[in-house]
Amino acid sequence: MSAPAHPDSTDLDRLHAAVKREKEDLAPESKPAPLWAMFLLMLIAIIAGGQLGPMTGGWSFDVSNPFAIAGGGDPRPGGAGAGAAMDPFQMAMKKGASGYSVCGGCHQGNGGGLPGQFPPLAGSDYVTGGTERLIRIVQHGLTGPITVKGQGFNTPGGMQPFGGAMSSQDLANVLTFVRNSWGNEASMITKEMVQKVRDEEKRATQWTDADLKPFADKNVPGEIPAGPGATAAPAAAAAAPAAK
């Protein structure tokens, strides 16, 4: 005959394990979310995702046009083909304003430069003078002392070349912008002009002011499609029928 169980021999570990398997009690007055509410939220998410695609250009990372299906066109400046209405000069000014950010740190946003270090671009004959000198400076860089608007400048380390970091078109846009901002007015510089200098001058060192003297008033030949000093007839005028 077996001995009776001791009153303190209860298996507490077994009891605690059973308790842990039980679900946690809900707080008073609370109820689990009904299944219909969960399905409704999923349906809303699916519909919203389906609308998000066409509203942002059909899931294309190259297009972000929330007005694509509105029927009224894109009201944003430059949107919905507005860029096509710009002439080459206007387009160069728009893109050049953005590209000027690489120059603004030294020459400042107002083109005024910094005394003794970075010469001003506003009112500078280096900017509005011969296009060949300006292209060569930006293409290959400039070192040593120069005098701009009667003041001396000697940038530490000189101006670094940008020919390797920017395309001919990007350089042309920026140069056109600085030649026609802050009171400056001069003919635009085209991609072909920049490329012509690149092809002819394979220079590995920065220019000095003395080196650039022969190009001070020299312009790179080429058609100026629009803007100040334009040599090309406007497209609209060329397409218009002759008056009878």
Side-chain angles (χ1 to χ4, degrees), residues 29-53:
E29 304 298 329
S30 64
K31 296 181 180 180
L35 288 178
W36 68 264
M38 298 177 64
F39 282 116
L40 179 60
L41 290 175
M42 292 176 61
L43 181 62
I44 293 174
I46 293 172
I47 295 175
Q51 291 295 313
L52 183 63

Side-chain angles (χ1 to χ4, degrees), residues 20 28 108 130 162 187 205 231 236:
K20 290 180 180 179
Q108 306 303 300
F162 287 93
S187 62
T205 59
T231 58

Side-chain angles (χ1 to χ4, degrees), residues 127-139:
V127 173
T128 58
T131 58
E132 185 158 354
R133 177 174 64 176
L134 182 60
I135 293 174
R136 288 173 183 266
I137 289 175
V138 178
Q139 173 72 22

Side-chain angles (χ1 to χ4, degrees), residues 55-69:
M55 289 291 284
T56 56
W59 299 111
S60 172
F61 287 103
D62 298 325
V63 179
S64 180
N65 181 9
F67 309 98
I69 62 175

Side-chain angles (χ1 to χ4, degrees), residues 126-131 134 174-182 184-189 219:
Y126 280 80
V127 173
T128 58
T131 58
L134 182 60
V174 172
L175 295 181
T176 296
F177 173 77
V178 300
R179 281 168 63 85
N180 290 277
S181 299
W182 319 298
N184 295 340
E185 183 175 331
S187 62
M188 69 179 294
I189 292 178
N219 291 314

Side-chain angles (χ1 to χ4, degrees), residues 3-159:
H6 192 279
D8 294 333
S9 63
T10 305
D11 190 349
L12 295 179
D13 290 337
R14 180 177 60 80
L15 293 177
H16 289 168
V19 171
K20 290 180 180 179
R21 288 196 298 269
E22 296 294 331
K23 294 182 179 179
E24 185 179 354
D25 291 338
L26 295 174
E29 304 298 329
S30 64
K31 296 181 180 180
L35 288 178
W36 68 264
M38 298 177 64
F39 282 116
L40 179 60
L41 290 175
M42 292 176 61
L43 181 62
I44 293 174
I46 293 172
I47 295 175
Q51 291 295 313
L52 183 63
M55 289 291 284
T56 56
W59 299 111
S60 172
F61 287 103
D62 298 325
V63 179
S64 180
N65 181 9
F67 309 98
I69 62 175
D74 186 346
R76 296 173 298 177
M86 295 184 180
D87 64 34
F89 175 74
Q90 293 170 329
M91 182 63 72
M93 289 293 291
K94 178 180 178 180
K95 294 185 176 181
S98 177
Y100 179 73
S101 60
V102 300
C103 314
C106 295
H107 297 287
Q108 306 303 300
N110 61 1
L114 290 176
Q117 296 186 50
F118 306 113
L121 302 180
S124 169
D125 60 343
Y126 280 80
V127 173
T128 58
T131 58
E132 185 158 354
R133 177 174 64 176
L134 182 60
I135 293 174
R136 288 173 183 266
I137 289 175
V138 178
Q139 173 72 22
H140 306 111
L142 178 67
T143 187
I146 63 170
T147 301
V148 179
K149 300 174 66 174
Q151 299 182 28
F153 297 86
N154 194 352
T155 302
M159 175 180 168

